[in-house]
Amino acid sequence: MKKKKVISILLTGVLLTGMLAGCGAKGEESASKDKETIEFWYHDGNANSNAIFEKLIAQFEEENPEYKVEYVGLPSDSYLQKYNTAIATNTVPDVASIRDQDVSTLINQGALSCVEEDFNSFEEKDHIAENALNAIRNCSTDGKLYCLPQYTQPQVYWYNTTLMKEKGVEIPKTIDEFMQDCETYADADNGTYFYSLRGGAGSLDNMLDFIFTYANQDQLFDEEGNCVLSDPIFTEALEAYASIYWNGWTSKDSVSNSYKEMVAEFGSGTAMGIANNSSALAENINNLGEGNFTNALAPANKEGVVVTKDVPFLGYTVFEGAKNREGGVKFLEFLVSHDAVSYFCEKDGRVPVNDLVYEDEWYQDNTYMPVYEEMMSSKDVKFLARPLWLPEWNEFLTKVQEPGLQAVLLKEKTAEEVLQEWAEYLTAAQKGYLESTK
C-alpha cells in the first residue's frame, strides 16, 4: 500500500519537473499549486477499518490525483459528540460516515448537505438498493437524500445446524412451525431450548418484527399519525410472542437478555436459534465455528409474508459546512461505488447495497449472502420503517418499550395495557413531529 503511494508521489514529481522545464513561469505556477484536500471522518476507527481506508484512499487518490484525502478514524463510543462539537464550532469535515439512527437528528440541525441532485448524476445510481435509499429518505421531512448507503445489517434468524441435525429439526418457515419448535424442543430440566428470546436492552427489533409479521402490517402509523399498536391484532401477536417465555420455552434469564447474553446462549448450545442482524456473524463463528450454523429469513405469517425493520444502513454524508463540497461529493460517489463497496464489505464482513457486487467472486462464494439478497429482492418481504425521525424515539426504547416488554413477560401488566401505553406515547410524538413540519 505504502509502496503504491511512494510510486504515485515519484510519478507526480517527474511530471511536475517536466512541466517546469517546458513551460517556464506557467510551469512554476502549476508546480506550486497544492492538491485539493478532502477531510474524511469515519465513526469507528479501529485497526481493521483503518487498514481498509488506507487502501481505498490510495485507490481514490490514484484515480483522482488532484485530491488528497485526510482520514480521521474516531472512537465509536464518542464519535457523535465529535460531530456535534464540529458542527457547533464550524469545523466539520467534508465527508463523514453516518449511522441510520443519527441521520434525522443531524438533518434537523441543518448539518447535512442534500445530495439528491448529486446522486442523480452518479453512474451507478441504478445499482444501489431502492430499499436502502427509501430508508434514508424516511429520515427527512422532504423525502430527499442527505447521505448515501454503503452497506446494511439486515435482521435475520441464526440457527445451530449441527444441533438441529442431531435432533432432526428443520429450519421453521412459518410462525406456526417456529412456535411448535419452541414448544417441542424446550427442555428446561437440561437447560436447553429452541430459541433464545431477547427481553432486555435492544429487545425492540426482534419483538417488533415478530408482532408485525404476525399482524401482517408494515406501517407503524396511519395517515393521521396514530400509532397502530393499539389495534387488537397486536395484543394477540404480543401475547403469542410473550407465551414463549410464559410457557418456559426459553430460559428464565431471557427476560433480561441483551445482545451479549442472547449470543452467549446461542454460542453455548443453550438455544438452537436467535434473531439478530448480520453483525452476529463474527461472534457466531468464534463461538460455534464455520459450518455449524446458518442464517435464514424470519418465519413468515399465514400469508407467506415476512415483515422486518426498515433496511438499517451505514452511509456517508457531505456536511453542509464542507470546505470542499465538490471534492467531498466526488469522494462520496467513490465510497458507494462498486469497487469501494465490494472491498469494504469483503474485508469488514458487511452486506453490500450496490448490486454490482453480487457478481464478485468473494460474494458468490459467501454462504451467508444469498439470504440477504433474497431479503432485499423478495416481494414477500416487507420493510417496517422505525421512526428514527422522532426526537423521542431513543427515549421510547429505553424508558418505555424495554420496561414495558419486561412487564408483559413477567405478567406485571397485560399485553393490551402495554401496547396502549406504547401507542399513546408514539402517537403524541408523531403528531407533534407532523405539526412541527407544517
Side-chain angles (χ1 to χ4, degrees), residues 422-438:
W422 293 350
E424 289 175 358
Y425 184 100
L426 291 175
T427 295
Q430 177 70 353
K431 289 191 172 182
Y433 173 77
L434 294 175
E435 186 64 29
S436 71
T437 59
K438 288 182 179 179

Side-chain angles (χ1 to χ4, degrees), residues 198-205 207-208 393 395-407 418 422:
R198 183 173 181 173
S203 61
L204 178 126
D205 287 342
M207 179 211 68
L208 219 56
W393 181 240
E395 181 181 74
F396 170 75
L397 297 181
T398 57
K399 296 183 178 180
V400 182
Q401 180 269 320
E402 287 173 11
L405 176 59
Q406 289 180 330
V418 167
W422 293 350

Side-chain angles (χ1 to χ4, degrees), residues 261-317:
E261 292 79 21
M262 178 185 68
V263 171
E265 287 191 348
F266 182 59
S268 66
T270 295
M272 284 187 260
I274 58 172
N276 200 76
N277 65 44
S278 57
S279 67
L281 175 61
E283 195 146 5
N284 292 341
I285 291 175
N286 183 60
N287 290 337
L288 296 172
E290 284 278 22
N292 293 310
F293 66 93
T294 192
N295 59 344
L297 289 179
N301 57 33
K302 297 181 185 300
E303 291 74 24
V305 172
V306 171
V307 180
T308 188
K309 70 175 181 178
D310 207 357
V311 180
F313 61 86
L314 186 287
Y316 298 94
T317 188

Side-chain angles (χ1 to χ4, degrees), residues 100-339:
D100 51 5
Q101 61 260 48
D102 302 321
V103 175
S104 292
T105 300
L106 293 175
I107 290 175
N108 293 337
Q109 293 180 47
L112 307 186
S113 178
C114 181
V115 293
E116 187 78 34
E117 291 186 10
D118 304 293
F119 176 70
N120 288 333
S121 66
F122 286 178
E123 290 184 6
E124 297 180 15
K125 69 182 181 69
D126 293 333
H127 294 282
I128 298 180
E130 192 64 30
N131 290 326
L133 294 172
N134 287 339
I136 294 174
R137 290 191 171 100
N138 284 336
C139 294
S140 60
T141 57
D142 58 13
K144 294 182 179 180
L145 297 171
Y146 286 82
C147 71
L148 295 179
Q150 185 184 62
Y151 66 79
T152 182
Q153 295 185 151
Q155 189 82 356
V156 293
Y157 274 58
W158 297 94
Y159 293 105
N160 185 324
T161 49
T162 298
L163 281 179
M164 292 174 74
K165 185 176 181 180
E166 289 176 2
K167 296 180 180 292
V169 189
E170 298 291 332
I171 291 176
K173 302 295 184 183
T174 67
I175 287 179
D176 286 344
E177 292 175 358
F178 170 76
M179 296 296 286
Q180 184 61 59
D181 287 340
C182 286
E183 179 180 7
T184 302
Y185 299 102
D187 186 355
D189 291 339
N190 290 308
T192 59
Y193 305 89
F194 181 74
Y195 181 66
S196 177
L197 188 144
R198 183 173 181 173
S203 61
L204 178 126
D205 287 342
N206 296 356
M207 179 211 68
L208 219 56
D209 283 6
F210 182 97
I211 67 174
F212 271 84
T213 297
Y214 187 103
N216 197 28
Q217 296 193 40
D218 61 356
Q219 298 292 326
L220 189 58
F221 301 100
D222 63 21
E223 293 181 356
E224 286 74 41
N226 298 301
C227 180
V228 302
L229 286 173
S230 57
D231 292 353
I233 185 61
F234 288 103
T235 297
E236 181 182 328
L238 184 55
E239 287 176 345
Y241 187 71
S243 72
I244 299 172
Y245 186 79
W246 293 341
N247 294 328
W249 298 343
T250 189
S251 73
K252 290 184 178 179
D253 295 333
S254 290
V255 69
S256 59
N257 273 2
S258 64
Y259 170 78
K260 180 180 178 180
E261 292 79 21
M262 178 185 68
V263 171
E265 287 191 348
F266 182 59
S268 66
T270 295
M272 284 187 260
I274 58 172
N276 200 76
N277 65 44
S278 57
S279 67
L281 175 61
E283 195 146 5
N284 292 341
I285 291 175
N286 183 60
N287 290 337
L288 296 172
E290 284 278 22
N292 293 310
F293 66 93
T294 192
N295 59 344
L297 289 179
N301 57 33
K302 297 181 185 300
E303 291 74 24
V305 172
V306 171
V307 180
T308 188
K309 70 175 181 178
D310 207 357
V311 180
F313 61 86
L314 186 287
Y316 298 94
T317 188
V318 176
F319 273 96
E320 183 62 32
K323 298 177 181 64
N324 185 0
R325 188 183 190 282
E326 182 178 348
V329 170
K330 185 78 174 177
F331 189 55
L332 174 66
E333 179 179 6
F334 170 76
L335 288 171
V336 300
S337 69
H338 172 208
D339 284 352

Side-chain angles (χ1 to χ4, degrees), residues 35 73 84 165 356:
K35 293 184 177 184
N84 287 327
K165 185 176 181 180
L356 291 172

